[in-house]
Amino acid sequence: MRAVIAEDSVLLRIGLVKVLEIAGFEVVAEAADAEGLLTAVEQHEPDLVLSDVRMPPGFTDEGVRASLLIRQRWPDMAILLLSQYVEERYAADLLSGNISGVGYLLKQRVADVDEFVEVLRRVAAGGTALDPQVVSQLLVRRHSDPLDRLTAREREVLELMAQGRSNAGIAERLVVSESAVGKHINSILSKLDLPRADADHRRVLAVLRFLGVS
Amino acid sequence: MRVTTASPSWLRPLKGAGPATACLALGAVAQVATLLLLVFAGGPVGVVAATPVLTPIQRARLHACLDLEIPPPPKTGGDTYKERVLHWLQAGSSWRQVGYHLIAAPLIALAGLLALALWAASAAAVTVLLWRLGVGPQSWFPLTGGIGRQVLLTVVGVVGLYLAATLSKALVRLDTRAASACLGPSRADQLARRVAEVSESRAGVVDAADAERRRIERDLHDGAQQRLVSMAVNLGVAKATLPDLPEHARKVIDEAHREAKEAIEELNNLVRGLHPAVLDDRGLDAALSGIAERAPLPVRVKVDLPQRQSPAVEAVAYFVVSEALANVVKHAHAAQAEVSVERIGDTILICVSDDGVGGADLAAGSGLAGLAKRVASIDGTLSVNSPVGGPTLVSVELPCAR
């Protein structure tokens, strides 16, 4: 699989290339700003775009805006955004519409290489990856609602679902069996009146809609 | 210790008499214009009409002769010519100027002419002996008779000079006072102007402080934070790609990796409190969920603002919530907290409440005093309601533009 990187810090770009190579990606182009990213994507049409959010010249949300443009033109291209800070507002922009093949994570998550490699593969395969911090920010917005009916464990599971993890991923994280996770999920979906869906990304979509994204 | 050499004491009464006399002489000349207006150009109405020209002339005269700086009278605005005239006629400052040109200045000029005449007569009297030597005894009274009369006249002339100097200076003092009172802004105007200046400079200081926070945030983001992340990534890569390391080396790398990640976390929290980029980019609502999420207790955020506020107001509001929540975490022992931001009329009301132990005090150095100062810097108010036993409510009102 081929990837394009956009990151204005040279040091970090070198690290990202190494991690992508570990994950089995071939880095076909590196850009230092949003304009360079768009040119590189146009030229290479990669399978995955890995981009920083805050880049020259404005240092605000250039990466998010570039990603939206890319998704408009190449809806199937997987995009993983990295940022020093994650903001639920940018996540909402990014996830409006098609949420498959989208990721939004804190930069420091790259340091946990094994987990990040898994995220890269998941997003490239059409999955979703939301930083736990984004999910907690989304929960901050909810007011006196069905969320209060969830048990502490169910809330944990819901957060992991919103991050885009599969049943197996959630089970591994919580050190429980997959069937236990399945039970929790069923209970959550019925308490929140969410539709049951088999495909992972449709389930993520339902959860994110519930949390007020898109 | 006296360094400057004082002029001889007998000359002292004459000191400053020169500029004062010049000022009076010019004042008398200026009255010729007023006189002409009174006689040939509509009488007092002409003077009223000419006031906008006369005032700068008088201010220039006092400035040139006495180095006296009278600030210009307050400007009266208006879009059309008619409006400007109307506004001018309605302003109290205009009529004070007219009063000066019609009454004070002519009276002082008249007295000034007397002073000038006294100067001239005294000067002539003092020099009478020289005249006699030059032209010899004449039939004109002062130069006839014995030398005794001329000596007496000289003495009278000296006295006259002192009198003229004293009179001139007294008249100029009077003129100065009248002009300051009539031609410049009134005390209320001056205070209003001063308040406006102070407000402006304070806003400048507040803006500069915000800009500084933005700059520090940006510097840390581009510098230390990126370096730390890239260090953590490299350590992570080392862990993942070097499986055959000896046990102690692996331990060192693990430790460094963990330390680096913790440092990133700490620095992020610190920098996030300074001024997040999302605040400029998307506004207060978008920025607040970040600080609420960071707090180690459940926080609910509700923001209801119809539009973006000024950067200064947004920055203070953000800082208020950030600091108030930090206080809750440090002191309140609370199980949960709530943040609400809404606009009521032309104020923004920010409430941060918690269900903790209460007893928070503005005076007790809990960080609330610093918060109150920051709020006051943009004319906001902060109040704390925190009975011992709780709950605590910190409410802040910030003025906002409609």
Side-chain angles (χ1 to χ4, degrees):
Chain A
M1 296 240 251
R2 294 164 342 118
V4 165
I5 298 182
E7 161 64 59
D8 57 318
S9 154
V10 181
L11 274 176
L12 193 54
R13 213 155 63 208
I14 296 167
L16 289 176
V17 172
K18 275 187 235 157
V19 175
L20 276 168
E21 279 165 2
I22 292 172
F25 287 86
E26 178 200 351
V27 178
V28 289
E30 299 172 30
D33 55 31
E35 212 174 299
L37 170 64
L38 290 173
T39 317
V41 167
E42 173 100 55
Q43 196 183 338
H44 297 283
E45 298 209 7
D47 304 297
L48 175 78
V49 171
L50 183 62
S51 170
D52 189 6
V53 167
R54 203 170 151 181
M55 286 187 292
F59 294 97
T60 55
D61 63 344
E62 289 75 11
V64 175
R65 280 183 272 144
S67 301
L68 293 176
L69 287 177
I70 292 172
R71 280 193 88 68
Q72 251 175 24
R73 265 191 75 183
W74 298 277
D76 296 330
M77 201 177 284
I79 296 180
L80 180 53
L81 281 181
L82 296 176
S83 183
Q84 197 71 50
Y85 310 97
V86 287
E87 308 286 356
E88 38 97 10
R89 212 47 69 88
Y90 295 152
D93 281 3
L94 204 60
L95 297 169
S96 61
N98 181 9
I99 65 154
S100 71
V102 178
Y104 182 38
L105 294 181
L106 277 174
K107 271 185 184 171
Q108 68 221 51
R109 308 288 182 219
V110 184
D112 294 312
V113 174
D114 293 342
E115 237 180 284
F116 187 71
V117 162
E118 196 195 303
V119 166
L120 281 171
R121 291 182 182 144
R122 185 162 91 219
V123 172
T128 313
L130 265 193
D131 198 275
Q133 274 197 13
V134 176
V135 176
S136 346
Q137 283 185 20
L138 291 170
L139 289 170
V140 157
R141 299 263 172 204
R142 305 288 306 185
H143 292 269
S144 57
D145 57 29
L147 274 186
D148 294 340
R149 295 206 296 266
L150 300 185
T151 64
R153 190 55 146 189
E154 285 166 354
R155 221 181 136 99
E156 259 179 297
V157 173
L158 178 79
E159 291 195 35
L160 292 168
M161 282 164 78
Q163 290 168 23
R165 289 172 196 266
S166 62
N167 285 18
I170 296 172
E172 194 192 316
R173 183 76 181 202
L174 297 178
V175 204
V176 294
S177 69
E178 254 185 78
S179 68
V181 169
K183 272 182 210 151
H184 283 311
I185 290 176
N186 274 336
S187 163
I188 292 167
L189 295 179
S190 65
K191 278 184 183 175
L192 302 185
D193 278 332
L194 293 176
R196 267 153 237 280
D198 296 330
D200 275 353
H201 80 269
R202 282 182 55 201
R203 192 180 71 188
V204 175
L205 183 65
V207 171
L208 290 176
R209 286 258 155 82
F210 174 77
L211 290 178
V213 176
S214 71
Chain B
M1 193 175 72
R2 227 169 173 178
V3 183
T4 50
T5 48
S7 47
S9 59
W10 56 271
L11 266 179
R12 221 168 287 154
L14 297 177
K15 215 176 149 209
T21 312
C23 189
L24 287 177
L26 285 174
V29 172
Q31 284 318 299
V32 176
T34 310
L35 204 64
L36 288 174
L37 286 166
L38 279 174
V39 177
F40 298 110
V45 178
V47 176
V48 172
T51 291
V53 182
L54 293 173
T55 298
I57 291 175
Q58 296 286 19
R59 281 178 44 230
R61 169 176 69 96
L62 292 164
H63 179 68
C65 300
L66 310 172
D67 217 14
L68 176 71
E69 200 67 69
I70 298 177
K75 284 206 162 47
T76 51
D79 293 329
T80 60
Y81 180 71
K82 200 176 148 193
E83 247 178 57
R84 279 198 292 276
V85 170
L86 262 176
H87 286 172
W88 191 87
L89 286 175
Q90 282 163 357
S93 60
S94 311
W95 295 101
R96 279 190 283 117
Q97 294 171 52
V98 170
Y100 177 83
H101 298 309
L102 264 180
I103 302 163
L107 286 177
I108 290 166
L110 216 58
L113 282 178
L114 276 176
L116 289 174
L118 186 57
W119 274 117
S122 307
V126 166
T127 51
V128 74
L129 276 172
L130 291 174
W131 292 39
R132 186 182 162 123
L133 281 176
V135 295
Q138 298 283 326
S139 58
W140 193 42
F141 165 77
L143 301 181
T144 55
I147 195 97
R149 175 182 285 172
Q150 273 97 47
V151 171
L152 186 68
L153 264 177
T154 307
V155 173
V156 169
V158 169
V159 174
L161 281 179
Y162 278 96
L163 273 179
T166 311
L167 179 63
S168 300
K169 289 199 286 186
L171 281 174
V172 163
R173 267 202 299 281
L174 197 65
D175 198 5
T176 307
R177 225 178 269 179
S180 299
C182 299
L183 300 185
S186 68
R187 180 105 181 110
D189 289 335
Q190 279 174 358
L191 285 178
R193 188 178 297 189
R194 183 82 193 114
V195 168
E197 281 168 11
V198 169
S199 306
E200 197 175 310
S201 73
R202 188 185 63 175
V205 170
V206 170
D207 287 349
D210 280 343
E212 188 64 7
R213 260 188 288 276
R214 280 191 190 86
R215 191 189 62 76
I216 294 170
E217 191 266 347
R218 177 73 191 278
D219 283 357
L220 285 172
H221 178 268
D222 294 348
Q225 284 180 314
Q226 304 285 7
R227 275 172 190 278
L228 272 175
V229 169
S230 102
M231 184 172 99
V233 168
N234 284 331
L235 287 166
V237 170
K239 267 175 72 174
T241 51
L242 304 170
D244 305 328
L245 281 179
E247 181 57 25
H248 67 277
R250 166 157 297 276
K251 235 175 160 176
V252 168
I253 291 182
D254 272 354
E255 181 75 2
H257 187 231
R258 204 169 42 80
E259 292 271 350
K261 287 197 293 180
E262 279 172 15
I264 293 168
E265 199 76 38
E266 274 177 31
L267 190 59
N268 279 0
N269 284 349
L270 172 83
V271 174
R272 171 92 207 192
L274 283 174
H275 189 105
V278 71
L279 182 59
D280 288 337
D281 189 26
R282 301 290 171 98
L284 193 56
D285 189 10
L288 286 185
S289 53
I291 25 176
E293 181 274 327
R294 270 193 305 146
L297 75 166
V299 180
R300 292 254 159 110
V301 177
K302 190 162 174 260
V303 181
D304 186 11
L305 291 176
Q307 77 219 41
R308 290 288 298 268
Q309 303 300 317
S310 74
V313 169
E314 284 188 339
V316 170
Y318 180 82
F319 182 78
V320 162
V321 175
S322 171
E323 282 299 296
L325 279 180
N327 257 322
V328 170
V329 173
K330 260 188 253 166
H331 306 290
H333 307 291
Q336 55 183 342
E338 236 179 279
V339 174
S340 75
V341 181
E342 60 186 318
R343 201 178 96 175
I344 299 169
D346 48 10
T347 53
I348 291 177
L349 179 64
I350 304 166
C351 294
V352 180
S353 56
D354 67 69
D355 60 353
V357 295
D361 188 357
L362 258 180
S366 54
L368 285 170
L371 206 54
K373 275 184 198 150
R374 187 88 197 271
V375 167
S377 74
I378 58 165
D379 288 326
T381 56
L382 175 141
S383 63
V384 178
N385 186 340
S386 180
V388 174
T392 300
L393 171 66
V394 174
S395 48
V396 169
E397 286 179 30
L398 302 176
C400 72
R402 258 173 201 283

